[in-house]
Amino acid sequence: RTLVAVKPDGVQRRLVGEIMRRFENRGFKLVALKLVQASEDLLRKHYWDLRSKPFFRGLMSYMSEGPMVVMVWEGLDVIKTARNMLGENNPADSLPGTIRGDFCVEVGRNVIHGSDSVESAEKEISLWFGQNELHCWVHNSRPWIYN
Ligand SMILES: Nc1ncnc2c1ncn2[C@@H]1O[C@@H]2COP(=O)(O)O[C@H]2[C@H]1O
């Protein structure tokens, strides 16, 4: 499982449907989804490892500018594959075909976040979602996606 968040710029730019379509089409299963105006406390916990970076204050304010769409996707190697689908942190290094490579130009407005490791995915999922918000359901197309 991985946490994917469409940031306030992605929501404002109406990219939510396009981004979700990419994850659905790839074959991943949606297990949690919500629209959230994140509190400063939540954002501080989410980006705790970056607290000493010079861009930290700007990042907090960017992420508070409007609601985000936060979701959990599940599937084989989803953390790694989602990072590949997102592109590089800096959109200028992101290949066309990736989300950042197709939809943005600046690192401070990079439209989407994805967990970067198993540890951060577990931490981020438990930060943004309660256990009762994570749904277990059967993907009918599963046998056509997995051997
Ligand atoms: N040099 C930078 N200047 C501004 N924001 C940055 C910089 N580097 C990283 N970020 C932001 O910090 C975020 C950390 O992880 P994200 O994938 O959410 O996307 C990153 C960017 O939004």
Side-chain angles (χ1 to χ4, degrees):
R1 288 180 174 182
T2 194
L3 184 108
V4 171
V6 183
K7 297 180 177 183
D9 51 336
V11 174
Q12 286 286 353
R13 292 180 54 206
R14 300 160 197 257
L15 294 173
V16 175
E18 166 68 27
I19 288 168
M20 292 190 69
R21 189 186 60 80
R22 290 184 182 212
F23 280 86
E24 285 193 318
N25 284 357
R26 186 71 188 245
F28 292 126
K29 181 168 77 173
L30 182 66
V31 297
L33 171 70
K34 62 183 166 188
L35 182 73
V36 198
Q37 174 70 54
S39 68
E40 199 185 320
D41 180 53
L42 181 61
L43 291 173
R44 201 168 276 283
K45 286 181 180 146
H46 178 83
Y47 283 128
W48 185 246
D49 294 346
L50 301 177
R51 64 193 180 284
S52 55
K53 298 282 183 196
F55 57 81
F56 185 72
R57 278 175 68 90
L59 179 60
M60 292 290 97
S61 121
Y62 160 41
M63 299 291 283
S64 312
E65 272 170 39
M68 290 198 284
V69 170
V70 190
M71 44 203 157
V72 178
W73 290 92
E74 183 180 295
L76 181 67
D77 290 331
V78 68
I79 299 172
K80 180 179 174 198
T81 306
R83 295 281 290 186
N84 287 338
M85 290 166 70
L86 263 58
E88 299 299 318
N89 233 331
N90 185 353
D93 299 326
S94 299
L95 292 175
T98 64
I99 293 166
R100 289 173 180 147
D102 287 346
F103 301 119
C104 54
V105 292
E106 207 193 284
V107 70
R109 289 285 184 275
N110 64 355
V111 305
I112 190 163
H113 167 82
S115 308
D116 64 5
S117 65
V118 173
E119 299 71 45
S120 49
E122 285 171 355
K123 184 196 112 182
E124 291 171 3
I125 291 168
S126 63
L127 199 55
W128 289 87
F129 290 97
Q131 200 55 43
N132 62 342
E133 293 176 298
L134 301 166
H135 298 279
C136 289
W137 59 285
V138 178
H139 210 194
N140 276 341
S141 51
R142 195 180 196 288
W144 302 106
I145 294 168
Y146 296 102
N147 189 354

